[in-house]
Every structure is written in C-alpha cells, then in structure tokens.
Amino acid sequence: MDDLRKKYLDAIAGAMDESTLEYVRVSAIGKKGEVALKMRELGKMTPEERQTAGPALNALKNEINSALMAKKEGLADAALNERLQTEWLDVSLPGRKRPAGTIHPISQVTEEVTAIFADMGFSVAEGPQIESDWFNFDALNIPPEHPARQEHDTFFMSLPEGADRAPHVLRTHTSPVQIRAMSEQGAPIRVIAPGRVYRCDYDQTHTPMFHQIEGLAIDKDISMANLKWVLEEFVRSFFEVDNVELRFRASHFPFTEPSAEVDIRCSWKDGTLKVGEGDDWLEILGSGMVHPKVLAAAGVDPEEWQGFAFGLGIDRIAMLKYGIPDLRAFFDSDLRWLRHYGFASLDQPNLQGGLSR
Ligand code: PHE
C-alpha cells in the first residue's frame, strides 16, 4: 500500500498538465484503477484483514483524490498566471491615432447648395464630363462657327483616325446636362446639375478644372420673376444673411433669351468679404430664360413650355463664403491646406443645422 501511495503521489506531483493528471487519476482511482482492483481483493480477505485493509484503502483513495484536486488547482493557477503574463495589456497607454481626413470645401459647398435647392423642389441630374460636341455646343444653340466656341477655351479629346464626327470635348460648362435631363425626363422639370467642368485657363481665380451647378426649371408659366426669387432665396440661405441684394445685369448667352448675369452686393473690409452690405458687386452666375431652340433640341415643345436656367460657379461661392483667397490651392492637395479649410465628416450640411433659413 505504501508503494502504491508513493507511486501515485509522485506521479501527481510530477504531472505538468491536466491530461497527464487525468491519466494518473484513471490509473489510480478510476473504475479499473489499481486502488479499485485492490478494493476488489477485499472480498477474498478474512474479516480481520478486511478491517484494517478496507479503511486503509479508503484513506489512500481519499488522499490520492485530494492530491489530484490540489494539483489540478495548482495547474489552473499556473495556466492563468501564464496567460496573465503573456496577454498583459497596459490599458493606460494612449490609443493609436487614426488619421482622419476632411471634407473638401468644394464637396461641402456642393452639398450645401444641393440641400437648399432640394428644399425648393429641385432634384439632381448628371451628365458625363467627356461630352459630345453636340451636347456641349450645338444643342445649346452654339453652332460650329459661333464665336462663343472660342471663348470657352475648350479641351478636345483626340479623334480616332478616320472618324467622321467632331471630336468630343471635356465639357466647358454644366449646361449640356440641361439637354440630357430634358431629353430623358421631358417637361415639366426642375433639376440642378453639379459637376466638374474644364477650360484652358489658369490664374488666381481660374483653374483648368472647376465646378458649376446648373439649374433648370421648365413649366407652363415660369418667368424671370421666378428666377429672381429662386436665386435670392438661394443666396439668402447659402450666405446665411437676410438682406441680400442681387443685381441682374443684361448679358448674352446663346442658350438663353433674355440673359442676365447676376452680381451680389458685398463689401471687402480688411481683406474679409461681407455679403449683403457695402458698395461692391461680385459676379456669381449666368442665367436667363431658356432659348426656344434649346427646348426644341431637347424634344420639349417651346410653344407649350418655358422656363429659366442658370449656371453657378461653385468654386467662386466657396471662396466667398469661407474666405479662401486663391482658387489654385483648392486642387494642390496640400495637406496643410486641406486640414485648415476642410470640414469634419460629421459637419454635414442640412437645413436644420449649419444652414439657417
Ligand atoms: N453655361 C454658362 C457658363 O458657363 C452659364 C449659364 C448657364 C448661363 C445657364 C445661362 C444659363 O458661363
């Protein structure tokens, strides 16, 4: 019995993991373990022998059991300690910085303008940046020899050899979207079309790529008065001032008749711009009543329908609203500029916050 005792207590002490321990348990006190076998032998003993051997075997069984439990706990503690050592984490360390980008002023302003016009019932229309000569010019009443074609400093796409058509262009304005929207949706229609446009020009207020928002409203009895109201309402909302004064200056565009360029009253004091006061005027858009030929080109009957269109320079009004002096910096992708003038991603414009009406 002492041999058995020593054998198993040593085995338990030496066990390095739970599965070894379980093996020891089964071979010692399991149903077919050595202690159990010895217990079975009790039957062959004399009552006297049994009286000492029985309790002794029971005590041995209990002793082994206790040793097993103690060792098992020890192993579990050791395992936990090991995990605590290896999976150690200093929760007081500062978090890892995630680079957060900013919303470009052009994106922000485009969203702002879209929100304001959406509130007035305009939906958003789109067109391609590479446009056919017909959509960009002819359909807008600018025939091939028209001087307006020269004024646009157009970028032309290369023409495949032998092609029997005018080369495509990088659209010089968003006005071709008027034609596309009317051809697709017919009349009545109320859309705005924000997007990139291209002209070969480069200085403090011009970049070869810039942004416009086209506006178009066609119905049975839309007049210049509606145009004026919509633009005043827009400017009031966009610049967040109540007293805006707009000046409609007679102008000329082949695709509108009559045509007007619109200036906004403002003041420049100490290099900062204030809208709605002062003696300066700043041109922000071109507009007019859509020319009957343009309606006809888009499949809309000019005898039945009429309306206004306007083209607003997004970059221009972004510079004005947020006091950004040089347009070229908009597209330099200089991180310092982007961090300074960019907007937080949660700073999304809507009519409830950010934009007062
Ligand atoms: N497309 C004109 C431009 O780019 C602006 C404009 C749009 C004028 C619609 C009148 C009507 O200068």
Side-chain angles (χ1 to χ4, degrees), residues 136 140 142 152 172-176 178 197 199 210 212-216 227 251-261 283 285-290 308-313:
N136 196 80
L140 290 161
I142 314 176
H152 278 207
T172 57
H173 49 182
T174 43
S175 297
Q178 286 184 34
V197 299
R199 288 180 208 176
F210 60 107
Q212 287 187 334
I213 288 204
E214 196 77 8
L216 175 72
L227 169 67
S251 181
H252 174 78
F253 298 102
F255 33 92
T256 46
E257 181 58 38
S259 303
E261 282 176 301
E283 185 195 324
L285 63 92
S287 65
M289 297 301 289
V290 178
F308 63 74
F310 60 85
L312 178 68

